[in-house]
Structures are given as C-alpha cells and as structure tokens.
Amino acid sequence: MPCTPVAPPFLQIRDAVVRREGRPILEIGSLSIAEGESICLLGPNGAGKSTFIQLITREVLPLHRNETPVLFRGQERPLLTEVRAALGIVSSSMQKQIAVHLPALDVVIGGLYGMLGVPRRIEVTEEDRRRALETMEALGIADLASRDVMTLSTGQARRVLIGRALVSEPSAVIFDEPCTGLDPEGMFYVRRCMRTVAQQGRAVLLVSHYPEDIIPEIQRVLLLKDARIVADGPKRQLLTDAIISQLFDTPLQVRQKDGYYSLFGKY
Ligand SMILES: Nc1ncnc2c1ncn2[C@@H]1O[C@H](COP(=O)(O)OP(=O)(O)OP(=O)(O)O)[C@@H](O)[C@H]1O
C-alpha cells in the first residue's frame, strides 16, 4: 500500500542557544510546531519571547551546532524569502514606525512588497488593490481603507497592520503582543481578527504576557521563563492558578469562561 508522505514540522528547534553579553538569553532543547498548528508563547518581561520570534524569523542566529538548531519545514538552510513569505508578522512596535500620511489601503498593499507603505518605485496594480481590499473586508475593516493611517485610533491601526500581515496569504501569522496599548474595544477587535486568521486555516503564533489574548482556536501553550520553555502542553492543563502564579512570580488566579481565560491578582 503506498504510504502518504508526512509533512515535516513547520518549525523544528533542537538545542538552540542564543547568547548575549556572556549569558544565554534563550535556550531551547527541543521543540516542534506542526504545519498549521496555532500556539501561544506566554511569559513575563525579559523571558526571551522577542528573541524566540527573531529566532523563527532568522533575525538572530543560535550558537553553531553540528546539527542545525532551527529547521523550517524540514530545511536546514531555507531561503529567507521562503521563510518571510510563509510568515506574516503583527507587532505593536511596527505601529510606531508609521510616520507618514498614507491611506490605510496603501499600508495593507505594502504587505505585498514586504514594506510598511508602498515603495515609490512600485506601480500598484488593480490586482494589488483588489487583494488588499478583500483582505480588509475579511477582517471587517474595509471602511478604513481610505482613511489616513495617522488619524486612526491605535486599535484601528493595529487591525490595519493585521491586514498588512495577511494580504500576502502567509501560512502562519506571528502576533507579537498584539493587544499592547489597546483599550477594551481595540483588544476586542484585535482578538476577533486573530480568530478570523485562525478560522481561515492559518496558524496563529501568539506571543503574549496575557492569557486573555489566547483565543479559543489556540490549544497549545508554551510557558517561557528565564530563557527556557518551562512547560509545553494543552492550555487547560497549564493555565492554572499554581502554574501561572509561578510563571509570573505573583499570586494569581486564572478563570476560564466561554473558551477565554482571565487573570486576577490574589491580593
Ligand atoms: N542584544 C542584547 N544584548 C544583551 N541582552 C539582551 C539583548 N537582547 C535581549 N537581551 C536580554 O535578553 C533577555 C530576553 O529579552 P527578550 O526581549 O527576548 O525578552 P521578552 O520576553 O521579549 O521581554 P518583553 O516581554 O519585556 O518584551 C532580556 O533580559 C533582555 O534584556
């Protein structure tokens, strides 16, 4: 009987160590994320979350090993263009880089060219516009298309950035602390957009300090503390008072309702 080839993991990490100023700031023994799998990397400030993202995007390199520490779809030396095409990225720091008056649609179109806006040398096609508008429609933000991005609220601009990350149809989207700086309305819509991304069949790779960001579509949680993944498993097993209090070194209570989690201080 012919056997169906098994797809290699989207990401495989083995003995990856990143050192800065003489100390490890990230050490991952073994980790595998399947194609299409959504996860949340949860941890306190300084745990190594940004370094983890940069390891995936290949902006930082781990120490040399005989066996390549980071494999992308089974490849030891993938083309950077291939990695970037597969990954969309949304981060709050990106928003600070938007310092020009542009229609929100142009920011989304910029995602087709790996830029924040449309580069001058590029002639935008009708097809580009159609794709960008369709992406904005899917996220429920088509009404923002002609708005000057500098005049949008932080929450609206964050959703435009999600559109920018999605327009090139990546298979996975990294959400780097997507709700930082947002009011409850902004958080509501950003989390709803994350759900749309997951429901489109794309992997959501969420990095956050807050269990509140973990949308129901994410089942697997990785807890990062002091540069190491200290736990990796289903959220219902890891999002407990004892484990989360230990992760943040703070007395905390975790509550779950309708598939969402919330944190409360045990004052
Ligand atoms: N280039 C660098 N040189 C020295 N130390 C660094 C460098 N980059 C990061 N670090 C340190 O490595 C640790 C992990 O940093 P990282 O930014 O990955 O953490 P994080 O979990 O993303 O933090 P936060 O939640 O505050 O964004 C921190 O202690 C940070 O100060």
Side-chain angles (χ1 to χ4, degrees):
M1 208 167 79
C3 50
T4 320
V6 179
F10 183 70
L11 185 75
Q12 200 178 350
I13 301 181
R14 46 196 190 187
D15 192 16
V17 178
V18 178
R19 289 178 77 87
R20 292 289 180 270
E21 296 179 351
R23 70 179 181 101
I25 61 168
L26 188 66
E27 284 184 278
I28 299 180
S30 170
L31 173 69
S32 178
I33 299 175
E35 191 74 49
E37 186 180 25
S38 291
I39 58 127
C40 170
L41 184 71
L42 188 73
N45 285 129
K49 301 182 299 299
S50 305
T51 309
F52 178 83
I53 292 177
Q54 290 166 334
L55 193 67
I56 301 181
T57 57
R58 299 186 173 245
E59 289 162 85
V60 303
L61 292 176
L63 296 183
H64 175 77
R65 295 283 185 263
N66 286 337
E67 282 201 321
T68 308
V70 183
L71 273 66
F72 173 78
R73 289 182 167 154
Q75 301 172 70
E76 296 194 348
R77 285 180 198 77
L79 292 173
L80 210 50
T81 47
E82 198 183 330
V83 176
R84 299 220 165 122
L87 280 173
I89 302 187
V90 180
S91 80
S92 53
S93 58
M94 219 174 242
Q95 205 156 335
K96 296 185 195 118
Q97 294 165 31
I98 301 178
V100 281
H101 294 280
L102 278 178
L105 186 73
D106 283 12
V107 172
V108 176
I109 293 171
L112 291 168
Y113 299 97
M115 311 290 284
L116 262 176
V118 181
R120 279 212 185 107
R121 62 188 162 76
I122 301 281
E123 194 150 329
V124 174
T125 65
E126 272 316 301
E127 171 65 6
D128 292 345
R129 276 183 212 289
R130 188 193 58 74
R131 284 177 72 180
L133 207 52
E134 262 181 30
T135 304
M136 293 182 87
E137 271 161 13
L139 293 175
I141 54 168
D143 56 321
L144 303 179
S146 59
R147 290 274 307 274
D148 177 344
V149 73
M150 297 269 280
T151 68
L152 298 180
S153 73
T154 313
Q156 288 170 326
R158 196 74 49 90
R159 281 184 282 151
V160 170
L161 285 177
I162 297 177
R164 178 194 168 276
L166 268 191
V167 69
S168 55
E169 302 183 23
S171 21
V173 182
I174 296 176
F175 286 89
D176 181 8
E177 294 171 23
C179 291
T180 297
L182 301 187
D183 67 9
E185 183 199 13
M187 288 181 186
F188 174 88
Y189 285 109
V190 164
R191 289 175 188 149
R192 202 167 75 169
C193 284
M194 268 199 283
R195 295 198 72 177
T196 305
V197 172
Q199 287 162 6
Q200 285 176 344
R202 302 180 207 284
V204 169
L205 307 178
L206 167 67
V207 173
S208 183
H209 301 119
Y210 300 109
E212 284 83 346
D213 285 339
I214 303 175
I215 53 171
E217 287 76 8
I218 297 176
Q219 294 303 324
R220 181 178 173 195
V221 171
L222 312 172
L223 305 182
L224 190 69
K225 186 177 185 181
D226 298 334
R228 290 168 185 264
I229 292 175
V230 293
D232 173 358
K235 61 184 174 186
R236 65 176 190 287
Q237 280 175 19
L238 298 186
L239 300 181
T240 66
D241 294 3
I243 292 174
I244 296 302
S245 297
Q246 199 176 19
L247 180 70
F248 290 100
D249 289 320
T250 306
L252 296 166
Q253 187 185 18
V254 185
R255 288 192 204 150
Q256 191 271 121
K257 189 170 189 304
D258 301 333
Y260 281 94
Y261 289 80
S262 311
L263 271 193
F264 297 85
K266 278 189 184 167
Y267 298 106

Short mmCIF file of all heavy atoms in Angstrom, two decimals, residues 19-21 23-26 43-52 54 176-177 207 209 224 227, ligand 1:
data_model
loop_
_atom_site.label_atom_id
_atom_site.label_comp_id
_atom_site.label_asym_id
_atom_site.label_seq_id
_atom_site.Cartn_x
_atom_site.Cartn_y
_atom_site.Cartn_z
N ARG A 19 23.11 33.62 22.88
CA ARG A 19 23.83 34.25 23.98
C ARG A 19 24.03 35.72 23.68
O ARG A 19 24.30 36.10 22.54
CB ARG A 19 25.21 33.60 24.18
CG ARG A 19 25.16 32.21 24.74
CD ARG A 19 26.55 31.64 24.85
NE ARG A 19 27.27 32.19 25.99
CZ ARG A 19 27.19 31.68 27.22
NH1 ARG A 19 26.47 30.61 27.44
NH2 ARG A 19 27.86 32.21 28.22
N ARG A 20 23.93 36.53 24.70
CA ARG A 20 24.26 37.96 24.60
C ARG A 20 25.00 38.35 25.87
O ARG A 20 24.59 37.96 26.96
CB ARG A 20 23.00 38.84 24.46
CG ARG A 20 22.25 38.68 23.14
CD ARG A 20 23.00 39.28 21.95
NE ARG A 20 22.26 39.11 20.71
CZ ARG A 20 22.36 38.07 19.88
NH1 ARG A 20 23.17 37.08 20.18
NH2 ARG A 20 21.66 38.03 18.76
N GLU A 21 26.03 39.15 25.70
CA GLU A 21 26.82 39.64 26.84
C GLU A 21 27.19 38.51 27.80
O GLU A 21 27.03 38.61 29.02
CB GLU A 21 26.07 40.76 27.56
CG GLU A 21 25.90 41.98 26.65
CD GLU A 21 25.15 43.12 27.30
OE1 GLU A 21 24.60 42.95 28.41
OE2 GLU A 21 25.12 44.19 26.67
N ARG A 23 25.85 35.63 28.44
CA ARG A 23 24.86 34.75 29.09
C ARG A 23 23.79 34.32 28.08
O ARG A 23 23.50 35.06 27.12
CB ARG A 23 24.21 35.44 30.29
CG ARG A 23 23.29 36.57 29.89
CD ARG A 23 22.63 37.22 31.10
NE ARG A 23 21.74 38.29 30.65
CZ ARG A 23 20.43 38.20 30.54
NH1 ARG A 23 19.82 37.07 30.84
NH2 ARG A 23 19.69 39.20 30.13
N PRO A 24 23.20 33.12 28.30
CA PRO A 24 22.14 32.69 27.39
C PRO A 24 20.89 33.51 27.62
O PRO A 24 20.47 33.69 28.76
CB PRO A 24 21.91 31.23 27.77
CG PRO A 24 22.55 31.03 29.08
CD PRO A 24 23.52 32.13 29.34
N ILE A 25 20.31 34.05 26.55
CA ILE A 25 19.03 34.76 26.70
C ILE A 25 17.89 33.91 26.14
O ILE A 25 16.74 34.23 26.29
CB ILE A 25 19.06 36.17 26.08
CG1 ILE A 25 19.34 36.13 24.57
CG2 ILE A 25 20.05 37.05 26.80
CD1 ILE A 25 19.09 37.45 23.88
N LEU A 26 18.25 32.79 25.49
CA LEU A 26 17.24 31.81 25.05
C LEU A 26 17.93 30.46 24.88
O LEU A 26 18.99 30.37 24.25
CB LEU A 26 16.61 32.24 23.71
CG LEU A 26 15.41 31.41 23.26
CD1 LEU A 26 14.22 31.57 24.21
CD2 LEU A 26 14.96 31.82 21.85
N GLY A 43 4.80 34.42 28.70
CA GLY A 43 5.87 34.57 29.68
C GLY A 43 6.03 36.00 30.14
O GLY A 43 5.53 36.92 29.50
N PRO A 44 6.74 36.19 31.26
CA PRO A 44 6.93 37.53 31.80
C PRO A 44 7.91 38.37 30.98
O PRO A 44 8.58 37.86 30.07
CB PRO A 44 7.48 37.26 33.20
CG PRO A 44 8.11 35.92 33.13
CD PRO A 44 7.37 35.15 32.08
N ASN A 45 8.03 39.65 31.32
CA ASN A 45 9.01 40.54 30.69
C ASN A 45 10.40 39.93 30.80
O ASN A 45 10.77 39.39 31.84
CB ASN A 45 9.05 41.90 31.40
CG ASN A 45 7.85 42.77 31.08
OD1 ASN A 45 7.19 43.27 31.97
ND2 ASN A 45 7.56 42.93 29.83
N GLY A 46 11.14 40.02 29.72
CA GLY A 46 12.54 39.61 29.75
C GLY A 46 12.74 38.10 29.66
O GLY A 46 13.87 37.61 29.76
N ALA A 47 11.65 37.33 29.46
CA ALA A 47 11.78 35.86 29.45
C ALA A 47 12.52 35.37 28.21
O ALA A 47 13.14 34.31 28.22
CB ALA A 47 10.40 35.22 29.51
N GLY A 48 12.43 36.14 27.11
CA GLY A 48 13.09 35.71 25.87
C GLY A 48 12.12 35.58 24.71
O GLY A 48 12.44 35.00 23.67
N LYS A 49 10.92 36.14 24.85
CA LYS A 49 9.88 35.97 23.83
C LYS A 49 10.27 36.62 22.50
O LYS A 49 10.13 36.02 21.44
CB LYS A 49 8.53 36.53 24.33
CG LYS A 49 8.03 35.86 25.62
CD LYS A 49 6.69 36.39 26.07
CE LYS A 49 6.70 37.86 26.38
NZ LYS A 49 7.61 38.25 27.48
N SER A 50 10.77 37.87 22.59
CA SER A 50 11.16 38.55 21.33
C SER A 50 12.31 37.81 20.66
O SER A 50 12.37 37.70 19.44
CB SER A 50 11.58 39.99 21.60
OG SER A 50 10.56 40.65 22.28
N THR A 51 13.22 37.30 21.49
CA THR A 51 14.35 36.55 20.94
C THR A 51 13.85 35.30 20.22
O THR A 51 14.35 34.93 19.15
CB THR A 51 15.34 36.17 22.08
OG1 THR A 51 15.63 37.36 22.82
CG2 THR A 51 16.62 35.58 21.54
N PHE A 52 12.82 34.68 20.80
CA PHE A 52 12.23 33.48 20.17
C PHE A 52 11.68 33.84 18.79
O PHE A 52 11.91 33.13 17.81
CB PHE A 52 11.12 32.92 21.08
CG PHE A 52 10.42 31.72 20.51
CD1 PHE A 52 10.96 30.45 20.65
CD2 PHE A 52 9.22 31.86 19.82
CE1 PHE A 52 10.32 29.34 20.11
CE2 PHE A 52 8.57 30.75 19.28
CZ PHE A 52 9.12 29.48 19.43
N GLN A 54 12.60 36.29 16.90
CA GLN A 54 13.72 36.59 15.99
C GLN A 54 14.45 35.32 15.55
O GLN A 54 15.04 35.29 14.47
CB GLN A 54 14.68 37.56 16.67
CG GLN A 54 14.07 38.95 16.80
CD GLN A 54 14.85 39.82 17.76
OE1 GLN A 54 15.52 39.33 18.66
NE2 GLN A 54 14.76 41.11 17.57
N ASP A 176 2.81 39.47 17.87
CA ASP A 176 3.76 39.80 18.94
C ASP A 176 3.11 40.81 19.88
O ASP A 176 3.02 42.00 19.55
CB ASP A 176 5.03 40.37 18.30
CG ASP A 176 6.08 40.72 19.34
OD1 ASP A 176 5.89 40.38 20.51
OD2 ASP A 176 7.10 41.33 18.95
N GLU A 177 2.64 40.34 21.03
CA GLU A 177 1.94 41.19 22.00
C GLU A 177 0.92 42.09 21.28
O GLU A 177 1.02 43.32 21.33
CB GLU A 177 2.94 41.99 22.82
CG GLU A 177 3.78 41.05 23.68
CD GLU A 177 4.95 41.71 24.37
OE1 GLU A 177 4.91 42.91 24.55
OE2 GLU A 177 5.88 40.97 24.72
N VAL A 207 2.45 35.59 20.80
CA VAL A 207 3.43 35.81 21.86
C VAL A 207 2.83 36.87 22.78
O VAL A 207 2.47 37.95 22.31
CB VAL A 207 4.76 36.30 21.27
CG1 VAL A 207 5.74 36.69 22.37
CG2 VAL A 207 5.36 35.20 20.39
N HIS A 209 1.99 38.38 27.15
CA HIS A 209 2.10 38.31 28.62
C HIS A 209 0.76 37.88 29.22
O HIS A 209 0.68 37.60 30.40
CB HIS A 209 2.39 39.70 29.21
CG HIS A 209 3.64 40.34 28.72
ND1 HIS A 209 3.65 41.54 28.05
CD2 HIS A 209 4.92 39.95 28.80
CE1 HIS A 209 4.89 41.86 27.75
NE2 HIS A 209 5.68 40.91 28.19
N LEU A 224 7.33 30.38 28.87
CA LEU A 224 8.75 30.74 28.78
C LEU A 224 9.14 31.55 30.01
O LEU A 224 8.47 32.53 30.36
CB LEU A 224 8.97 31.58 27.51
CG LEU A 224 10.41 31.85 27.10
CD1 LEU A 224 11.09 30.57 26.61
CD2 LEU A 224 10.47 32.91 25.99
N ALA A 227 14.57 32.46 29.98
CA ALA A 227 15.21 31.98 28.74
C ALA A 227 14.89 30.54 28.36
O ALA A 227 15.40 30.04 27.37
CB ALA A 227 16.74 32.18 28.81
N1 LIG B 1 21.23 42.47 22.29
C1 LIG B 1 21.13 42.15 23.57
N2 LIG B 1 22.18 42.28 24.41
C2 LIG B 1 22.07 41.95 25.71
N3 LIG B 1 20.94 41.46 26.30
C3 LIG B 1 19.88 41.31 25.50
C4 LIG B 1 19.90 41.64 24.11
N4 LIG B 1 18.67 41.39 23.60
C5 LIG B 1 17.93 40.93 24.62
N5 LIG B 1 18.64 40.88 25.75
C6 LIG B 1 18.17 40.41 27.07
O1 LIG B 1 17.66 39.09 26.89
C7 LIG B 1 16.52 38.87 27.70
C8 LIG B 1 15.36 38.42 26.83
O2 LIG B 1 14.96 39.51 26.01
P1 LIG B 1 13.64 39.48 25.12
O3 LIG B 1 13.49 40.84 24.53
O4 LIG B 1 13.70 38.33 24.21
O5 LIG B 1 12.54 39.24 26.24
P2 LIG B 1 10.95 39.38 26.13
O6 LIG B 1 10.39 38.17 26.79
O7 LIG B 1 10.55 39.65 24.74
O8 LIG B 1 10.68 40.65 27.03
P3 LIG B 1 9.42 41.68 26.99
O9 LIG B 1 8.23 40.89 27.43
O10 LIG B 1 9.82 42.69 28.01
O11 LIG B 1 9.33 42.23 25.62
C9 LIG B 1 16.27 40.18 28.45
O12 LIG B 1 16.87 40.06 29.72
C10 LIG B 1 17.00 41.21 27.61
O13 LIG B 1 17.44 42.28 28.40
#
